[in-house]
Amino acid sequence: MFKTVFLATALIAACAIPASAKPQKPSQSASRSNAVQGSTPYAQRDDAMQFADDLAERRGLDREWVRQAVGQARFLGSVPKLMLPPAKGTAKNWRVYRSRFIDPIRIRAGVRFWQEHREALARAEQEYGVPAEIIVGIIGVETIYGQQMGNFRVMDALATLAFDFPTAHPRAKERTEFFRRELEQWLSLSNRTNIDPFEVRGSYAGAMGLGQFMPSSWARFAVDFDGDSRIDLFRSPTDAIGSVANYFKGHGWTTGMPTHYTVQFDPATVKMDELLAPDILPTFSATSMQAKGALLDAAGAQHAGPLALVELENGGDAPTYVAGTENFYAITRYNWSSYYAMAVIELGREVAAARNATLASSR
């Protein structure tokens, strides 16, 4: 079993670690004159500087280093807009959503990725109990197997969302607190590993690497799966594979459990409001679900754990429904969306089928 390490001695190849043991100062290119929302640099924002002081005290970090890092962060004007939910009245559409992730280009890239890293995928499945196709599905949906890992400076993205999260968002307070915790985690990791916190690039939400780990997930679940004594989720697919598997293991993945079952409805007895009330949280036994008019397939009827009725809207057409298990719920811990979870599952299945067909034709 490979040990878990926290970014180790070289976070990623793109971020050179200075030889000095002293934490590297943030790049001077991130000038304090950079204006942020309201034309006020973060260095002049009382809330940002108070956050920096509190963080330094909690984590035992050099106060001036933290203040300099936070003060030099740039406000990214496009980022808050990207965090807002779709406008009211915008119909969700599973078929359209699916088409964004399950397409020939991504499937072919997934087959290549699986073939190139089949040993690491098989080992991750054996050690963590997470199927290779789920890992392949995650990395494919997140970054097209490393092709699109994001070009936002992580420090800027996290600072923008920590101090200027859009107030129009229905969960603005909760999300602001989340991103302040992520910013704290990022600065702590940067300080401990002696890297410039402004050098690493990722998504507009601050996620990094092939599997798009947030700083807290990197700290908790990233593993040195290739055994080179460092973690590199950008250029080591093996580390990314092991880390994704470890993430799911840490979020309750149960080996051998299906992700979902097919479901139909008895029009005479169905209690749709009650079935949908818990949302995607598995709550019902197979027996209680069927008593409410949701008829499971043969395997689902024998399922021993809790289930959730998952609704996937299709615009103006009838929704798609499945009975989600605790493993389906585990996938939503990566991204709180049943649409996302189903895309991961179906991409993994499509890649597995294409790979099997390729292997069969080559025999």
Side-chain angles (χ1 to χ4, degrees):
M1 176 69 70
F2 287 89
K3 63 181 181 179
T4 301
V5 291
F6 297 96
L7 277 70
T9 57
L11 178 59
I12 57 173
C15 305
I17 304 298
S20 171
K22 183 178 179 180
Q24 187 175 5
K25 292 182 178 180
S27 171
Q28 293 302 313
S29 64
S31 170
R32 289 193 178 193
S33 66
N34 290 320
V36 295
Q37 194 170 34
S39 300
T40 303
Y42 282 125
Q44 297 176 21
R45 285 268 296 269
D46 291 342
D47 58 339
M49 291 298 95
Q50 185 61 56
F51 169 87
D53 290 344
D54 292 344
L55 188 162
E57 183 175 355
R58 280 195 306 274
R59 296 274 182 167
L61 304 179
D62 180 81
R63 178 173 176 271
E64 288 307 311
W65 182 88
V66 177
R67 289 175 67 88
Q68 185 178 33
V70 173
Q72 290 181 1
R74 299 181 183 182
F75 171 73
L76 303 178
S78 63
V79 167
K81 299 173 186 176
L82 292 170
M83 302 303 295
L84 290 172
K88 290 184 178 180
T90 303
K92 295 181 180 180
N93 194 315
W94 160 238
R95 296 190 187 100
V96 172
Y97 186 93
R98 183 186 190 280
S99 69
R100 292 168 50 197
F101 300 104
I102 291 88
D103 61 72
I105 292 175
R106 208 176 296 245
I107 292 169
R108 286 195 295 270
V111 171
R112 289 194 300 271
F113 182 86
W114 197 327
Q115 284 296 94
E116 291 172 4
H117 307 292
R118 57 188 178 276
E119 293 181 0
L121 286 162
R123 183 159 54 88
E125 184 167 346
Q126 180 180 15
E127 293 190 15
Y128 296 104
V130 181
E133 66 183 51
I134 295 296
I135 302 170
V136 169
I138 284 286
I139 297 176
V141 166
E142 289 291 343
T143 63
I144 318 181
Y145 307 100
Q147 294 181 37
Q148 297 178 359
M149 291 188 283
N151 199 36
F152 293 85
R153 294 197 310 184
V154 169
M155 183 66 196
D156 294 336
L158 292 176
T160 296
L161 294 171
F163 305 120
D164 288 297
F165 194 88
T167 56
H169 193 284
R171 295 162 55 214
K173 184 176 185 297
E174 176 186 343
R175 301 304 288 166
T176 294
E177 292 172 354
F178 169 80
F179 283 107
R180 290 194 176 194
R181 290 194 299 270
E182 292 298 329
L183 177 57
E184 175 172 340
Q185 188 68 252
W186 176 237
L187 286 169
S188 179
L189 291 170
S190 299
N191 183 279
R192 184 162 66 249
T193 53
N194 297 335
I195 67 167
D196 184 338
F198 288 93
E199 288 299 312
V200 182
R201 294 181 181 268
S203 77
Y204 65 83
M208 300 170 282
L210 278 85
Q212 293 290 276
F213 270 31
M214 294 297 290
S216 61
S217 293
W218 198 315
R220 291 180 61 195
F221 302 111
V223 295
D224 170 24
F225 205 54
D226 61 12
D228 66 353
S229 298
R230 68 178 190 176
I231 291 174
D232 183 350
L233 300 190
F234 285 79
R235 294 178 54 168
S236 173
T238 298
D239 283 358
I241 287 165
S243 298
V244 169
N246 189 42
Y247 181 97
F248 281 123
K249 187 70 173 180
H251 283 81
W253 185 274
T254 300
T255 303
M257 178 186 291
T259 55
H260 63 283
Y261 303 102
T262 59
V263 61
Q264 297 179 337
F265 300 103
D266 178 357
T269 62
V270 65
K271 298 177 180 177
M272 193 62 76
D273 289 345
E274 293 181 23
L275 288 165
L276 292 174
D279 198 11
I280 56 178
L281 180 66
T283 303
F284 304 105
S285 67
T287 300
S288 65
M289 180 172 276
Q290 297 199 111
K292 295 180 184 297
L295 308 180
L296 301 165
D297 60 28
Q302 298 299 315
H303 185 76
L307 297 167
L309 181 63
V310 176
E311 180 182 61
L312 303 167
E313 297 178 30
N314 288 308
D317 297 332
T320 298
Y321 294 96
V322 299
T325 69
E326 289 174 298
N327 277 356
F328 187 97
Y329 186 75
I331 298 174
T332 68
R333 301 310 84 205
Y334 217 98
N335 183 315
W336 189 277
S337 166
S338 55
Y339 296 79
Y340 173 89
M342 189 59 73
V344 166
I345 293 164
E346 295 207 358
L347 176 60
R349 287 183 175 179
E350 292 288 341
V351 172
R355 176 175 180 265
N356 290 337
T358 299
L359 292 175
S361 66
S362 65
R363 291 173 185 151

